[in-house]
Amino acid sequence: MDTMLEARLQTQQRNTQNTQETSLWSSGFGMKLETVTPFLGKYRPFVGRCCQTCTPKSWESLFHRSIMDLGFCNVILVKEENTRFRGWLVRRLCYFLWSLEQHIPPCQDAPQKIIENTGVQNVISGRVPSGAGEGQVPGLEKKEVQRILGHLQAPLCPFLLRLFSWALLRFLNCVFLNVQLHKGQMKMVHKAAQAGLPLVFLSTHKSLLDGILLPFVLFSQGLGVLRVAWDPRTCSPALRALLKKLGGLFLPPEANLTLDSSEGVLARAVVHAALAPLGLWTGALAVLRSLRSWGHSPRVCVRVHLAQPFSLQEYTINARSCWGSRQTLEQLLQPIVLGQCTVVPDTEKEQDWTPATGLLLALKEEDQLLVRRLSHHVLNASVTSSAVMSTAIMATLLLFKHQKLLGEFSWLTEETLLRGFDVGFSGQLRCLVQHTLSLLQAHVALLHVQQGDLLVVPRLGPGLTHLARLSAELLPAFLSEAVGACAVRGLLAGRVPPEGPWELQGIELLSQNELYRQILLLLHLLPQDLLLLQPCQSSYCYCQEVLDRLIQCGLLVAEETPGSRPACDTGRQRLSAKLLWKPSGDFTDSDSDDFEEAEGRYFRLSQQSRCPDFFLFLCRLLSPLLKAFAQAATFLHQGQLPDTELGYTEQLLQFLQANAQEEGFFECADPNLAVSAIWTFRDLGVLQQTPSPAGPMLYLSPTFTSRENQEKLEQFIRQFICS
């Protein structure tokens, strides 16, 4: 903490200088240039480590000790040094020679191994209920397995692979200035590959080019040919045949049939058997349709992020021990929203929005839960390992903290680095700001005012919505503080008028228990995919983390009550027979003494001059989502129900857009926020879902048909919104 406070003090001093320099730059005088670097001190922050609770061995063994000392490499920069030959002709043909020297593993006898798989044999012999092989000739069953496997994959063609890698290398050099890959992250992947086990790569699809870019990057780094899963519905038969020769995978249509369908049992068994020896990575076919537009756009730089690998076997063993009692959002939050209860249940929230596909439903219920919670771990690692781009920082400043762009751009970059997140840019500050504004020129207006100053104004309508989407990429870095600031706003909502002065709000004493309760309420309300909480992490641990962040950033200061022992006085604490430490996440009845001691801890809002603006900045980071939820609560008595989920989403989106035109707040007029609000209300018990021939139908639950309960829901949400 001392290191962070010292770094923050240096940041504040530097920001004071930045403010003075920015005023010179905005007036057109002065030539001093400040350089923005993607690190604080000597090293870059390392991001994307695996879970230490669920995979402790992988966390330790698959980490490269000198990872922060290693830099980046350009994977599309191929010279004669990358080949075994030298000379003038080699320099001309280095791309072609490089593609010839890439290692392509030989094809194995996959059909025979898959037929011998236990799951496939169980289906063939009829031991699995509704088996497809019952009463058939074994030869016919073998042909059926080969037919399904032929639809799934095909033997690799080395000639086509080398030709495609050569053409792709030339194409990527025409499109991109460079493709950066962190050497330390690649070292960890190589270390995991040395174990001889299959590697599974999962992508978050940051770009339409992921489908061809990432397999090429990993192929160029000596990891062999990746089996890429494609959507067969958008491919012609000729294109499917070509992609299979290049390592493409196409799931058979029978694999996604209902569980009671006999045709899907054998297909799912073959798919499960085929995806043990293969490296699987999900890609997007839309890249083939978008290549025409790249020739008209300027060349850009790309960075590929790889999170720390972990052992799936280790995860499946350790993750089951972290499962505890959980309740639905309706059980946790609805009684508190309606005023029927004030105590937050001491249990975790069970919320899952994972699509229920045929392959997932074919698993046992325990294995389905394991897969769903694994997806939360993967999502957490993928988001934290992605670098924050300059457009996200600029969009956040334009929406929530727009005063002097130069100084605040540097300040927000340093605050992001202080929180352990990486940034994907560097260079001279003024050039960075100008380049970022050029990328956002379709969504902002640049106005020249007196004395050479430049005024940047976001364009109303879709421009604000686009900026809000970009600013959401910065939210994970400040999420803990944003949750804490909105929780404090909710705690003060019933005591101090929102428009009251900051000094008046700083008078109020905030007990630690009240803060815990308010943070828990907001945690339960916010969607799980936004919070990025790992399934093994307790909500109470996160509450303490939020409180610690508010203290570290200087928004909260401890207030000693008369007659109480100071919080920093550890000399008077007596040793007890109990252990003074407990495992992380172990919140049982034995912790009651700690919570009773916390009842006497109080805090106040800091009265430093920078705190009001920073507090408002943090609250506004969550305002698009919370305002969308509040307007969705207002829309309950206007919506036409029952309706399908898609139809009600269209109704709500039109309502959000109409309100945006009236109030000028376009940030919440987003289809994703509308879907998130509907799904949250469904989990909360506000909306109920029933099956129908046209699909699942939504209707208003009897509890929330009354206008009074609808207003209670809206009031509960609006307490966390800072105007």
Side-chain angles (χ1 to χ4, degrees):
M1 185 182 298
D2 294 339
T3 305
M4 184 174 181
L5 291 177
E6 182 180 356
R8 191 178 299 279
L9 180 59
Q10 296 176 359
T11 301
Q12 296 173 5
Q13 295 174 352
R14 194 177 295 113
N15 286 341
T16 304
Q17 300 174 359
N18 289 347
T19 304
Q20 299 173 355
E21 294 167 359
T22 301
S23 62
L24 291 177
W25 289 336
S26 60
S27 300
F29 301 100
M31 297 299 295
K32 185 175 181 180
L33 298 177
E34 181 183 351
T35 302
V36 176
T37 56
F39 48 82
L40 291 175
K42 185 179 180 181
Y43 302 107
R44 303 178 68 97
F46 177 71
V47 292
R49 296 207 68 174
C50 61
C51 179
Q52 190 176 11
T53 303
C54 297
T55 53
K57 293 182 180 179
S58 301
W59 189 87
E60 178 67 25
S61 61
L62 296 180
F63 179 71
H64 197 270
R65 292 299 175 185
S66 59
I67 184 172
M68 291 184 290
D69 295 335
L70 302 176
F72 290 85
C73 65
N74 183 10
V75 296
I76 63 173
L77 180 62
V78 176
K79 301 180 180 179
E80 63 175 328
E81 290 80 7
N82 301 105
T83 67
R84 294 177 299 167
F85 309 98
R86 297 294 182 269
W88 173 83
L89 186 59
V90 174
R91 288 192 292 271
R92 294 285 184 178
L93 302 176
C94 57
Y95 288 2
F96 179 73
L97 295 175
W98 173 86
S99 63
L100 292 179
E101 295 179 355
Q102 297 305 304
H103 173 67
I104 299 177
C107 297
Q108 301 176 351
D109 189 12
Q112 186 61 31
K113 290 185 178 181
I114 292 175
I115 292 176
E116 296 173 355
N117 182 266
T118 305
V120 176
Q121 289 294 324
N122 288 341
V123 176
I124 293 177
S125 61
R127 287 196 291 265
V128 174
S130 66
E134 188 173 355
Q136 296 183 8
V137 182
L140 296 178
E141 298 163 3
K142 184 175 181 180
K143 291 182 179 179
E144 179 66 13
V145 172
Q146 292 176 344
R147 183 194 68 81
I148 297 174
L149 189 60
H151 191 285
L152 182 70
Q153 62 176 334
L156 299 176
C157 180
F159 171 75
L160 285 179
L161 282 170
R162 300 187 191 281
L163 180 63
F164 183 74
S165 63
W166 167 77
L168 188 58
L169 181 60
R170 295 191 63 89
F171 168 74
L172 293 177
N173 274 279
C174 295
V175 174
F176 301 121
L177 289 174
N178 57 66
V179 178
Q180 297 180 352
L181 181 66
H182 197 284
K183 296 179 181 178
Q185 294 176 351
M186 201 64 238
K187 288 280 187 182
M188 294 189 301
V189 177
H190 277 295
K191 197 171 184 180
Q194 291 174 0
L197 298 175
L199 296 178
V200 179
F201 293 91
L202 300 175
S203 171
T204 54
H205 302 314
K206 293 285 186 179
S207 168
L208 294 176
L209 283 177
D210 287 354
I212 59 174
L213 176 61
L214 295 184
F216 170 81
V217 169
L218 297 173
F219 173 71
S220 67
Q221 298 302 307
L223 290 176
V225 181
L226 271 73
R227 295 290 189 174
V228 183
W230 300 86
D231 187 358
R233 295 171 297 180
T234 56
C235 295
S236 63
L239 184 58
R240 277 204 302 267
L242 175 62
L243 292 177
K244 286 180 184 179
K245 294 292 184 180
L246 297 175
L249 289 176
F250 295 90
L251 296 182
E254 305 95 314
N256 284 322
L257 293 178
T258 57
L259 297 182
D260 55 357
S261 172
S262 59
E263 292 84 359
V265 177
L266 183 59
R268 284 190 288 269
V270 173
V271 170
H272 281 296
L275 304 183
L278 300 178
L280 178 62
W281 178 88
T282 54
L285 185 63
V287 59
L288 298 178
R289 300 176 178 176
S290 64
L291 296 182
R292 294 176 298 176
S293 62
W294 286 91
H296 306 286
S297 59
R299 297 172 67 193
V300 295
C301 302
V302 173
R303 183 189 297 181
V304 178
H305 305 279
L306 296 173
Q308 183 182 8
F310 62 91
S311 170
L312 188 59
Q313 181 180 12
E314 181 187 10
Y315 171 78
T316 55
I317 296 175
N318 296 331
R320 300 179 193 272
S321 62
C322 301
W323 294 354
S325 61
R326 291 176 178 262
Q327 293 183 357
T328 63
L329 185 60
E330 181 178 357
Q331 296 170 330
L332 286 173
L333 211 55
Q334 189 181 106
I336 299 177
V337 171
L338 300 178
Q340 301 171 355
C341 178
T342 58
V343 179
V344 185
D346 186 10
T347 184
E348 299 298 320
K349 177 180 65 173
E350 182 62 42
Q351 185 182 54
D352 181 70
W353 293 350
T354 306
T357 61
L359 292 174
L360 181 62
L361 295 177
L363 301 175
K364 298 179 181 178
E365 184 177 355
E366 184 180 4
D367 293 335
Q368 290 183 29
L369 185 61
L370 189 69
V371 171
R372 288 189 174 103
R373 296 190 176 179
L374 175 63
S375 65
H376 292 301
H377 277 286
V378 173
L379 181 63
N380 177 279
S382 63
V383 172
T384 55
S385 62
S386 300
V388 177
M389 305 308 293
S390 60
T391 51
I393 292 182
M394 180 60 68
T396 305
L397 291 175
L398 292 176
L399 287 176
F400 310 126
K401 193 178 173 62
H402 182 199
Q403 293 178 0
K404 297 181 179 180
L405 287 181
L406 289 177
E408 290 176 355
F409 188 93
S410 177
W411 164 80
L412 193 53
T413 301
E414 292 183 349
E415 290 290 334
T416 303
L417 293 170
L418 278 172
R419 285 156 178 79
F421 279 74
D422 195 11
V423 296
F425 55 89
S426 62
Q428 294 179 351
L429 176 59
R430 189 167 186 173
C431 295
L432 274 175
V433 172
Q434 291 175 347
H435 176 68
T436 306
L437 290 176
S438 67
L439 296 176
L440 299 175
Q441 60 183 348
H443 311 287
V444 298
L446 304 180
L447 306 177
H448 292 275
V449 294
Q450 58 181 357
Q451 297 181 356
D453 291 347
L454 188 65
L455 182 62
V456 184
V457 180
R459 298 182 185 273
L460 297 180
L464 282 176
T465 306
H466 181 77
L467 292 179
R469 291 175 184 171
L470 291 176
S471 67
E473 299 178 5
L474 187 65
L475 181 58
F478 295 86
L479 184 59
S480 298
E481 292 97 325
V483 169
C486 291
V488 172
R489 177 61 262 164
L491 195 57
L492 293 175
R495 306 182 186 180
V496 182
E499 63 276 3
W502 180 260
E503 294 78 9
L504 184 61
Q505 300 184 27
I507 298 176
E508 295 294 328
L509 282 178
L510 309 175
S511 70
Q512 184 164 325
N513 281 350
E514 291 176 330
L515 288 170
Y516 274 165
R517 179 183 181 276
Q518 207 69 16
I519 294 172
L520 273 178
L521 292 179
L522 186 54
L523 288 181
H524 291 332
L525 177 65
L526 295 177
Q528 196 75 21
D529 57 351
L530 172 73
L531 293 172
L532 299 176
L533 284 179
Q534 296 179 342
C536 57
Q537 184 179 8
S538 168
S539 297
Y540 288 92
C541 287
Y542 190 77
C543 287
Q544 186 59 50
E545 178 185 340
V546 169
L547 191 58
D548 291 342
R549 290 290 186 91
L550 291 179
I551 297 173
Q552 290 176 7
C553 68
L555 284 179
L556 286 183
V557 293
E559 180 71 17
E560 307 295 347
T561 57
S564 64
R565 177 175 56 83
C568 59
D569 186 5
T570 59
R572 298 183 183 181
Q573 294 182 1
R574 296 183 179 181
L575 295 177
S576 61
K578 300 180 181 179
L579 291 175
L580 296 182
W581 57 271
K582 297 178 178 65
S584 175
D586 184 16
F587 285 86
T588 58
D589 294 338
S590 61
D591 298 283
S592 58
D593 296 339
D594 297 335
F595 286 109
E596 290 176 0
E597 184 181 352
E599 291 181 358
R601 297 175 186 168
Y602 290 86
F603 301 90
R604 293 183 189 272
L605 287 175
S606 175
Q607 296 300 308
Q608 298 182 17
S609 59
R610 67 178 184 87
C611 287
D613 290 338
F614 189 50
F615 181 83
L616 186 61
F617 167 75
L618 294 175
C619 289
R620 286 180 174 176
L621 288 176
L622 285 175
S623 59
L625 177 69
L626 293 175
K627 287 187 177 181
F629 281 17
Q631 294 186 20
T634 307
F635 182 67
L636 289 176
H637 72 279
Q638 302 180 21
Q640 302 296 324
L641 289 173
D643 195 358
T644 62
E645 182 179 309
L646 181 60
Y648 191 69
T649 302
E650 290 294 331
Q651 292 186 47
L652 179 57
L653 182 59
Q654 293 177 5
F655 178 77
L656 295 177
Q657 292 173 346
N659 276 359
Q661 293 289 344
E662 296 177 2
E663 302 176 2
F665 193 84
F666 291 87
E667 291 89 327
C668 63
D670 191 313
N672 296 328
L673 297 182
V675 171
S676 182
I678 292 176
W679 288 2
T680 301
F681 283 8
R682 184 187 59 193
D683 295 342
L684 187 56
V686 179
L687 299 173
Q688 294 182 353
Q689 183 173 291
T690 56
S692 71
M697 299 292 292
L698 294 177
Y699 65 94
L700 199 59
S701 67
T703 306
F704 286 90
T705 52
S706 67
R707 188 66 179 272
E708 180 183 1
N709 288 343
Q710 295 175 7
E711 292 177 353
K712 288 181 180 179
L713 174 62
E714 183 180 357
Q715 184 179 5
F716 174 81
I717 298 173
R718 289 195 179 277
Q719 67 174 327
F720 300 108
I721 301 176
C722 189
S723 59

